[in-house]
Amino acid sequence: GMQSHLQALLSLYKLFCPELVTITLPGKMKTYFKNSEHPWKAAINTVRRRNQENSPVSRPLFLGTAQPQSRKRKWNTQLIIPASSTNKKNLEEDRKKNCVDLYSMNESFPVEQLQTFSQLLQNIHRLEFPSQMGSVLTNPLLLHYMNCSKDESIYLRLYYWMGQTLQEECPWCVVDNNRYEEEFKDFLETVYKTECFLQEGFSSCKEFLYKSLPLWDGCCCRSQILRLVSWIPLSSFSEMKSHLYDPLSQLFFTSSLYFKCSVLESLKELLQNWLNWHVVHLDSEYDS
């Protein structure tokens, strides 16, 4: 029999390829798939409102004036990178013990007390990453520690947090988020400085750029976006052509000379970073 999720799938097929579905489907059914055109509609509505502010034409004359719901965000919240803190469970256990010997071989060293590089070297075998992985972005000592760690879960935690933050805070991908553009710029600057420190690009940044560049106007957060482009991890040419070069070329041929020079500079730095990565990788293979 016809099941609701099967009907939803058939309705999706009928929307894009009506010749493949010949049966009659109910007009009203539960939505199982998100609208893939939402980012485009959000961008169009943003441009429409921007033009409408400078136009004497009243709002009701525009077609489709119903605005999509913007992401709920408390009026007093900000895009803040969390501070380094130890797992709360461990802190509660330490309080119960009343006295903790920080130099005991069996106890973990609290990241809040990590202040110097010598402390990092002395306690590197007893350190524990903070409960909020985003805090490592502003802590050079923890970044050194992350470089030495072989635990894949650490990178997965940071990858998930960073990917969600980039997606939810991007001004041109989220409706009514232009007021937070300066906060997003600061966040991108922090991510870029972290990549420079690690001499390696984040895969979550690559995915964010590949998804957002087709919607980018070339102006919002321009310098920060092009800096992140210079640290995209190496991948196949076909993937980079469709997700990186094609969106940039559309902006390149229709923008100012300054923008063209900025794109060329970013791609030159991308090539240099790739070459440096290959040299280090080949040296490590030769040593092994």
Side-chain angles (χ1 to χ4, degrees), residues 104-122:
S104 171
M105 296 297 293
N106 298 324
E107 298 294 339
S108 61
F109 187 86
V111 292
E112 297 93 333
Q113 300 188 22
L114 185 63
Q115 302 293 332
T116 63
F117 192 75
S118 59
Q119 283 182 324
L120 173 65
L121 295 179
Q122 293 171 4

Side-chain angles (χ1 to χ4, degrees), residues 30-288:
K30 183 179 179 181
T31 302
Y32 279 83
F33 304 98
K34 294 182 178 179
N35 189 352
S36 59
E37 298 179 352
H38 177 72
W40 281 110
K41 290 182 178 179
I44 292 173
N45 285 323
T46 301
V47 174
R48 178 181 295 159
R49 287 197 306 274
R50 189 185 307 152
N51 294 338
Q52 190 174 351
E53 291 176 357
N54 302 323
S55 173
V57 183
S58 60
R59 177 178 293 270
L61 294 180
F62 284 95
L63 295 177
T65 55
Q67 303 296 328
Q69 293 294 325
S70 61
R71 181 177 57 86
K72 292 183 179 180
R73 185 172 181 177
K74 293 182 180 180
W75 67 271
N76 61 343
T77 58
Q78 295 178 340
L79 174 56
I80 300 177
I81 297 176
S84 300
S85 59
T86 312
N87 192 299
K88 292 182 179 180
K89 181 180 178 181
N90 293 342
L91 288 179
E92 291 175 358
E93 292 177 356
D94 291 344
R95 290 193 192 97
K96 292 178 181 178
K97 293 178 182 178
N98 295 326
C99 181
V100 179
D101 181 10
L102 296 180
Y103 297 96
S104 171
M105 296 297 293
N106 298 324
E107 298 294 339
S108 61
F109 187 86
V111 292
E112 297 93 333
Q113 300 188 22
L114 185 63
Q115 302 293 332
T116 63
F117 192 75
S118 59
Q119 283 182 324
L120 173 65
L121 295 179
Q122 293 171 4
N123 302 280
I124 195 168
H125 56 287
R126 298 191 291 113
L127 277 175
E128 183 181 277
F129 276 99
S131 54
Q132 293 179 298
M133 279 302 297
S135 61
V136 303
L137 297 180
T138 55
N139 193 320
L141 296 175
L142 289 179
L143 289 176
H144 278 301
Y145 181 39
M146 190 174 77
N147 253 345
C148 300
S149 177
K150 302 297 183 182
D151 188 359
E152 290 296 328
S153 64
I154 295 169
Y155 292 90
L156 289 175
R157 286 172 57 195
L158 183 61
Y159 164 82
Y160 177 77
W161 175 83
M162 188 182 298
Q164 289 292 112
T165 305
L166 289 169
Q167 180 180 352
E168 293 177 0
E169 300 294 337
C170 180
W172 61 89
C173 292
V174 180
V175 185
D176 293 335
N177 205 20
N178 290 329
R179 73 182 93 176
Y180 307 115
E181 182 178 339
E182 291 302 321
E183 295 179 16
F184 192 65
K185 281 184 179 180
D186 295 338
F187 179 68
L188 294 182
E189 284 285 351
T190 302
V191 173
Y192 169 72
K193 291 177 181 177
T194 305
E195 291 182 328
C196 292
F197 185 91
L198 297 174
Q199 289 293 291
E200 185 178 2
F202 293 112
S203 57
S204 53
C205 287
K206 182 185 77 171
E207 291 188 6
F208 162 71
L209 291 172
Y210 282 1
K211 292 179 180 178
S212 62
L213 282 179
L215 305 174
W216 186 44
D217 59 2
C219 297
C220 183
C221 309
R222 175 191 295 168
S223 61
Q224 292 78 17
I225 291 297
L226 292 180
R227 287 175 183 175
L228 291 181
V229 166
S230 66
W231 279 109
I232 288 180
L234 184 62
S235 58
S236 65
F237 175 76
S238 59
E239 180 185 11
M240 299 199 69
K241 182 182 184 303
S242 59
H243 293 96
L244 176 65
Y245 300 141
D246 289 348
L248 285 180
S249 64
Q250 294 179 7
L251 294 170
F252 185 88
F253 292 114
T254 57
S255 299
S256 64
L257 180 62
Y258 176 78
F259 182 84
K260 290 180 172 65
C261 294
S262 301
V263 172
L264 293 177
E265 178 70 17
S266 177
L267 295 179
K268 185 198 76 171
E269 293 177 359
L270 176 62
L271 179 59
Q272 288 177 339
N273 291 331
W274 283 352
L275 293 174
N276 290 334
W277 183 88
H278 271 292
V279 170
V280 174
H281 186 66
L282 290 175
D283 288 342
S284 62
E285 286 186 348
Y286 178 78
D287 294 338
S288 61

